[in-house]
Amino acid sequence: MRPTVAPPESITWRIHLDRAMWVAGVRALMLQALHPVAMQGVWQRSDFLDDPTGRLLRTTHFVAVTTYGSPREADALGERIRRVHARLSFTDPRTGRRHRVDERDLLVWVHCAEVASYLEVVARAGLPVTPAEADRYIAEQAHSATYVGLSPDDVPASLGAMRRYLAEIRPQLRVTPEAVQAVRFLLWPTVPDRLRALAAVKPLWFPIGAMAYHSLPDCARRVYRVLPELPGGQAATTAGLAALRRTLNATPDALYNRIFDEETLRSALAARERLADAGYDVRDGLVGVGKPSHRPAMAPAS
């Protein structure tokens, strides 16, 4: 059995272990909120109101396990997610229709909003990604859709297909009061109890949320109108993403690792051990596998 779901040589590994993924993850949640039915599912059937940070950390754990977790670990997580989702339903207040959380169209939207956000933000922040690598990344991520109950054929497998999907679904997207409130929560989230020791540095979160917001598509920012546009427009956003990535890369590992929950940290340590057993050089951590010039990023500095 291979030691990790994604091999260290993959473009998935390079993107998902980049520290700019924190911005990308927040951007994905903001983009997902524009689907009014999907937003109702989150609003009614999750603890987002009480712990928006927790939802981001759960997404982080999913990305971690489906990247550097073992195939068995990823399969177990996927089974758990599918089992939970199968029990959840909610009502769209606009139509009165009852929906399942695991409806195919909703799962496809969530997947695409995440994958598109990860790719765009990390590349804009400065990770070199060629067009061929972008295609390969989206194709690799089609497999990750299986963990939530989709088939790889349900989701785009190339950059062109992803762009077509996002263009086709755009007429269904709209801003709702819940979506605006979700964005505001993500700009200034509640600090969970286990991170109280980091409460003093909470103001450092705002640049992450702000850069996530400003990296949204123009049409999304126009309807949200939560933050004023940056002077300098999208050129300023790209420069800001690059500066924020440099700052995150300069964060001491001991402080950076405190953001992750214990389960994610254990997954990173186990991945390092499996890779070492498989003959990889892991002395420079997970990101350094085969690429010692890169600093640890989205993965804990193990």
Side-chain angles (χ1 to χ4, degrees), residues 5 32 67 69 87 92 106 116 131 145 163 201 214 225 235:
V5 175
Q32 288 168 3
T67 301
R87 299 196 301 263
D92 181 354
L106 299 182
R163 287 173 173 166
V201 296
H214 286 298
R225 292 187 295 178

Side-chain angles (χ1 to χ4, degrees), residues 259-301:
I259 301 173
F260 295 90
D261 60 33
E262 290 299 322
E263 191 175 8
T264 305
L265 291 171
R266 286 194 299 270
S267 294
L269 180 59
R272 183 170 179 170
E273 293 172 351
R274 289 193 308 274
L275 288 166
D277 290 343
Y280 285 90
D281 183 353
V282 295
R283 288 174 294 180
D284 292 321
L286 293 182
V287 174
V289 176
K291 297 179 182 178
S293 63
H294 286 70
R295 287 181 50 81
M298 182 66 173

Side-chain angles (χ1 to χ4, degrees), residues 193-214:
D193 289 340
R194 68 172 197 81
L195 295 179
R196 289 297 178 189
L198 299 179
V201 296
K202 180 180 175 180
L204 298 179
W205 177 264
F206 183 75
I208 292 177
M211 284 297 98
Y213 176 87
H214 286 298

